[in-house]
Amino acid sequence: MAKERSCWEIKDEAILKELVSLIGLSAEEQGLLGSLAPQAQQVAAQMTEAFYQRLNQNKQTAEFLEGKSSERMQATLNGWFVQLFSGQYDEQYAQQRLKIGNTHVLLGLPIRYPLAMLDVIMEFGEKVAAQSAKPAEASRAFRKILALDVAVFNQSFEDNQLKHLAQLVGAERLARMLLTGIA
Ligand code: HEM
């Protein structure tokens, strides 16, 4: 029988604090990202255009956008991108990012689609970082904050699976073991 893992106790907003520490996102890096918010704002429109162009070109992903206002969708993604460069990665940030992940869970969206959009976000995030007075450091900080965001986004999907499995089998610990194939 597998050992109980201490990470199983870390939930919700506490996940962000844990990941900031795991990824080693320093105060300097947070400041560096925060200093690039105006540049992010300038690049965001190009990013959202490329993002929705790809989603609309593909039948399976376009289905999820049917009936949605493209202005509203672009505005929310724009906001999401600029927030990556907020420089403030606190509890409120964690709550927002978990909520965004959960919105996609509720759409019934396979996780592979958001993950397959990361190269678009990377391309434009790197464009923002390149405008920093310290481009190499800014690029490293951007990669960290994006990795952190992807981890939080994914956590919403895993939490949802766990919640349903735990309801079925009566306990989260047992659900975790079933998911890992050891119970
Ligand atoms: C890295 C990838 C993605 C990011 C960062 C992202 C970001 C966002 C954000 C910030 C919102 C607003 C959520 C809220 O206010 O709770 C949103 C909503 C939405 N996203 Fe995404 N998204 C991603 C991938 C996708 C993909 C691949 C699809 C579809 C194929 C999609 C479809 C939607 C839809 C339909 C909504 C609107 C839900 C509604 O309010 O009716 N997203 N997304």
Side-chain angles (χ1 to χ4, degrees):
M1 172 93 46
K3 273 170 60 181
E4 195 91 26
R5 296 295 176 188
S6 56
C7 60
W8 294 359
E9 301 302 320
I10 302 173
K11 294 180 194 300
D12 305 322
E13 294 81 33
I15 286 169
L16 191 107
K17 205 170 170 194
E18 181 216 20
L19 291 176
V20 165
S21 163
L22 174 74
I23 291 171
L25 185 72
S26 68
E28 290 74 32
E29 287 174 322
Q30 296 186 32
L32 202 50
L33 288 168
S35 72
L36 289 166
Q39 287 84 343
Q41 188 70 62
Q42 280 175 357
V43 167
Q46 280 173 277
M47 192 283 288
T48 55
E49 202 188 323
F51 190 97
Y52 286 113
Q53 199 178 8
R54 181 185 291 177
L55 291 186
N56 278 314
Q57 270 169 2
N58 179 55
K59 180 180 178 289
Q60 279 71 25
T61 46
E63 276 177 9
F64 286 91
L65 306 179
E66 274 167 24
K68 305 279 175 195
S69 144
S70 59
E71 287 80 25
R72 199 172 69 87
M73 294 293 293
Q74 296 209 4
T76 48
L77 189 66
N78 194 306
W80 174 88
F81 183 73
V82 175
Q83 277 291 108
L84 281 176
F85 297 89
S86 67
Q88 289 244 324
Y89 310 104
D90 52 15
E91 212 167 280
Q92 200 196 350
Y93 182 88
Q95 275 167 359
Q96 279 174 358
R97 299 325 237 196
L98 282 164
K99 180 178 162 286
I100 291 168
N102 201 44
T103 297
H104 294 84
V105 169
L106 297 176
L107 290 172
L109 183 71
I111 187 66
R112 65 179 179 277
Y113 295 139
L115 293 179
M117 297 310 291
L118 284 175
D119 66 309
V120 176
I121 293 156
M122 278 181 218
E123 179 187 339
F124 289 95
E126 291 292 352
K127 278 190 182 166
V128 175
Q131 295 178 55
S132 168
K134 296 179 172 174
E137 288 89 340
S139 170
R140 191 178 316 120
F142 167 70
R143 289 196 299 271
K144 285 186 183 184
I145 201 64
L146 185 60
L148 192 149
D149 238 80
V150 172
V152 171
F153 200 105
N154 272 276
Q155 192 59 50
S156 302
F157 281 76
E158 190 190 286
D159 285 351
N160 184 52
Q161 288 172 346
L162 270 173
K163 193 173 87 189
H164 291 301
L165 197 52
Q167 273 167 3
L168 276 177
V169 299
E172 185 181 312
R173 184 172 175 276
L174 185 55
R176 282 209 177 268
M177 293 190 159
L178 285 169
L179 279 180
T180 47
I182 52 180

